[in-house]
């Protein structure tokens, strides 16, 4: 599991950075790509990346501001032409479905796959055998949500040497034992799953926030996460401006990461006043004084979830 940043700028794109979009690669976990936000130009960024639209399974929109949304109609209509025929579900706040429906209808776009748009107002927005995704309302000028992506614990590894000693050959019985069942051996003894299966592999937790001022739900969503993605639109000397426009500073993001007990913080959604990587360094320095395990989101860079 890792993150791939397609856009890290706030508000408008610049020559150095695109507007917000993040890919969560789940190639090992479910052979799929999830996308968080889809600002203008996202599909162009994907063409320049290692990501494939054919693997895109879900898109989560944090809020309906254009820098997080305007790339969606183009990406949806292009997906068929790039080999994406599997079903795709898009999640987001109320208003997302009429936006998507109208854009595709008026442009007479052909979508040759099953497209589902799910509007939500927080809570559990997705849940299956491998992942659960929770959402909560943040504090922004319009309804903006953060997402907590929870990978469920996976069964431990089978002890193949021990199975061989019990005379069990590879086959369906391996799957039964790994899934917690007990079997009867030829001598009549019972062999229980815990005797031949190691400790469960603990799932990862990733929290990806939309635009927000500091608020209680940030800590709720980020609590104990392995990785937190938090906006850092301004340096802290502009905290009054940040509050006025419902954004956060790098310092505030670091405080949230520290207080939520996360393992790693990645800053993103940078104001266009910070033109290049050199001008972003003060944001990183500011955050690391509070939370040393902080990194800057860099476009077309992979960040493993550790």
């Amino acid at each position: 599991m890792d993150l791939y940043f397609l856009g890290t700028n706030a508000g408008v794109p610049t020559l150095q950075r695109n507007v917000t979009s993040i890919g969560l690669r789940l190639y090992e976990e479910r052979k799929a790509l999830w996308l968080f936000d889809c600002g203008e130009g996202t599909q162009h960024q994907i063409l320049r990346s290692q990501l494939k639209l054919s693997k895109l399974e879900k898109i989560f929109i944090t809020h309906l501001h254009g820098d997080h949304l305007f790339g969606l109609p183009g990406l949806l209509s292009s997906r068929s032409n790039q080999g994406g025929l599997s079903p795709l579900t898009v999640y987001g706040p109320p208003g997302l479905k009429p936006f998507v429906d109208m854009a595709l209808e008026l442009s007479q776009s052909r979508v040759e796959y099953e497209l589902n748009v799910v509007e939500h107002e927080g809570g559990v927005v997705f849940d299956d055998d491998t992942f659960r995704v929770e959402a909560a309302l943040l504090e922004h000028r319009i309804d903006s949500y953060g997402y907590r992506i929870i990978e469920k614990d996976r069964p431990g590894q089978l002890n193949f040497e021990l199975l061989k000693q019990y005379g069990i050959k590879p086959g369906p019985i391996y799957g039964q034992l790994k899934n917690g069942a007990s079997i009867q051996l030829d001598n009549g003894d019972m062999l229980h799953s815990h005797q031949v299966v190691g400790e469960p592999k603990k799932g990862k937790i990733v929290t990806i926030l939309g635009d927000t001022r500091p608020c209680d739900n940030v800590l709720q969503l980020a609590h104990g996460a392995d990785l937190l993605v938090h906006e850092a639109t301004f340096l802290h000397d502009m905290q009054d401006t940040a509050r006025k426009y419902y954004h956060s500073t790098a310092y505030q993001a670091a405080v949230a990461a520290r207080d939520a007990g996360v393992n790693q913080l990645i800053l993103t959604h940078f104001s266009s006043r910070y033109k290049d990587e050199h001008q972003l360094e003060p944001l990183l320095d500011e955050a690391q004084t509070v939370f040393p395990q902080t990194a800057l989101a860099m476009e077309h860079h992979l960040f493993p979830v550790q």
Side-chain angles (χ1 to χ4, degrees):
M1 182 192 304
D2 47 46
L3 288 175
Y4 191 100
F5 285 84
L6 295 160
T8 60
N9 227 42
V12 296
T14 64
L15 291 174
Q16 294 80 20
R17 300 189 299 272
N18 204 54
V19 285
T20 299
S21 186
I22 304 168
L24 177 61
R25 300 200 320 175
L26 302 171
Y27 290 175
E28 292 184 9
E29 295 78 7
R30 54 195 298 140
K31 297 180 173 63
L33 168 68
W34 291 2
L35 203 63
F36 290 80
D37 284 331
C38 191
E40 182 182 0
T42 293
Q43 66 171 314
H44 293 279
Q45 292 288 81
I46 289 176
L47 289 172
R48 301 185 186 101
S49 78
Q50 309 169 22
L51 308 181
K52 296 184 182 300
L53 282 181
S54 59
K55 293 185 178 294
L56 183 60
E57 180 187 34
K58 298 182 182 297
I59 302 174
F60 297 87
I61 301 296
T62 61
H63 64 295
L64 303 186
H65 275 155
D67 57 319
H68 296 253
L69 182 69
F70 282 167
L72 186 59
L75 183 145
L76 294 177
S77 61
S78 296
R79 183 173 181 259
S80 293
N81 299 326
Q82 298 184 29
L85 299 176
S86 57
L88 173 64
T89 304
V90 185
Y91 303 84
L96 178 63
K97 182 169 175 53
F99 172 82
V100 171
D101 289 347
M102 182 172 292
L104 296 180
E105 178 184 351
L106 293 179
S107 62
Q108 298 185 28
S109 298
R110 296 173 59 186
V111 175
E112 298 178 357
Y113 53 87
E114 180 185 340
L115 174 62
N116 300 296
V117 180
V118 177
E119 296 183 339
H120 69 79
E121 295 181 292
V124 177
V125 299
F126 172 74
D127 194 7
D128 71 359
D129 292 340
T130 58
F131 280 87
R132 183 171 76 253
V133 180
E134 301 170 353
L137 188 65
L138 303 172
E139 195 170 312
H140 194 48
R141 291 190 293 118
I142 63 173
D143 285 356
S144 177
Y145 288 87
Y147 293 101
R148 180 179 174 90
I149 304 99
I150 304 163
E151 180 189 17
K152 297 182 179 179
D153 294 348
R154 289 181 283 174
Q157 293 294 316
L158 286 168
N159 187 326
F160 297 110
E161 288 300 319
L162 192 54
L163 287 167
K164 187 185 296 185
Q165 293 176 25
Y166 281 114
I168 301 173
K169 297 179 180 180
I173 291 177
Y174 275 28
Q176 294 171 24
L177 287 166
K178 190 161 186 175
N179 290 326
S182 300
I183 63 167
Q184 188 170 26
L185 301 173
D186 291 341
N187 63 6
D189 293 341
M190 295 299 297
L191 178 65
H192 303 290
S193 174
H194 68 83
Q195 295 175 258
V196 292
V197 178
E199 289 295 317
K201 184 176 181 181
K202 186 168 179 57
K204 301 292 186 181
I205 298 175
V206 176
T207 299
I208 299 175
L209 302 180
D211 294 2
T212 188
R213 294 195 298 205
C215 65
D216 290 343
N217 277 348
V218 167
L219 299 182
Q220 175 184 316
L221 288 166
H223 177 72
D226 294 282
L227 190 150
L228 167 64
V229 179
H230 196 304
E231 69 133 289
T233 308
F234 301 107
L235 283 164
H236 203 61
D237 61 6
M238 297 188 67
Q239 61 179 304
D240 291 341
T241 301
R243 179 163 184 80
K244 178 180 178 181
Y245 292 103
Y246 291 83
H247 287 298
S248 297
T249 68
Y251 174 84
Q252 289 168 335
V255 169
R258 180 196 65 194
D259 293 351
V262 308
N263 290 342
Q264 184 181 9
L265 168 66
I266 299 181
L267 304 177
T268 189
H269 200 267
F270 309 118
S271 168
S272 57
R273 72 183 58 238
Y274 311 115
K275 299 297 182 185
D276 54 31
E277 186 175 343
H278 174 73
Q279 291 183 335
L280 290 177
E281 287 298 325
L283 284 92
L284 180 62
D285 294 341
E286 181 175 276
Q288 287 183 335
T289 61
V290 176
F291 191 77
Q293 296 77 37
T294 302
L296 293 174
M298 305 302 294
E299 295 180 15
H300 299 294
H301 282 223
L302 275 174
F303 291 83
V305 180
Q306 300 174 334

